[in-house]
Amino acid sequence: MITPGRLDLVAQRWTPFVYVIDFEGLDFTGATFALQARLYRDAPGDPLISLTNAAANAQGISVSVSTAEGVPTSHVQIRVNETTLEDLPLGAAGPGQDVKLAQDLHITGGGFPKTRWLEGDLTIRAGATQ
């Protein structure tokens, strides 16, 4: 069993969110990815954001693999479109306040069963320029 790493992410409302994570020594070619964000851990119902495998410039999770000196590195890109962030609820604090969600990333592949690799907060920062 792998203990998930802690990764807190911050996305800006009114812009797309793109974040790349490098997994050194792992080849996730052909892996299945899933990331969900909810108001809190184990919140019932549909997630506010749900990402799965996608092409590199589309909303979702994509992977590319490079090898240096025989060691693979999987470059996992998380992308959330601007429209998805704009459509999220403003949260209990109301307009002008940041929204904090819970998120985690599951990966199935690379020689591992379905595993939660990362978990943490996803903060949606309020903005002025739309």
Side-chain angles (χ1 to χ4, degrees):
M1 179 173 123
I2 293 174
T3 300
R6 175 84 187 182
L7 179 64
D8 294 325
L9 301 171
V10 178
Q12 309 294 327
R13 196 182 294 269
W14 314 115
T15 65
F17 173 75
V18 179
Y19 191 86
V20 178
I21 306 162
D22 290 336
F23 290 90
E24 293 181 16
L26 295 168
D27 185 343
F28 286 136
T29 301
T32 301
F33 298 90
L35 182 146
Q36 293 185 347
R38 298 175 180 271
L39 286 175
Y40 55 90
R41 300 201 180 288
D42 293 332
D46 293 333
L48 296 172
I49 298 173
S50 183
L51 305 176
T52 58
N53 291 58
N57 291 321
Q59 178 167 287
I61 303 172
S62 61
V63 64
S64 63
V65 178
S66 63
T67 302
E69 298 179 14
V71 178
T73 298
S74 291
H75 312 281
V76 176
Q77 177 183 275
I78 300 167
R79 180 182 176 91
V80 182
N81 290 340
E82 178 178 351
T83 53
T84 300
L85 295 172
E86 290 170 5
D87 291 342
L88 290 173
L90 295 176
Q97 302 300 309
D98 296 345
V99 177
K100 187 180 284 190
L101 306 173
Q103 60 81 22
D104 55 29
L105 173 66
H106 289 204
I107 304 173
T108 305
F112 296 91
K114 180 179 177 184
T115 303
R116 183 187 312 169
W117 284 84
L118 298 168
E119 62 187 12
D121 296 330
L122 170 58
T123 301
I124 313 301
R125 296 284 318 256
T129 302
Q130 300 178 18

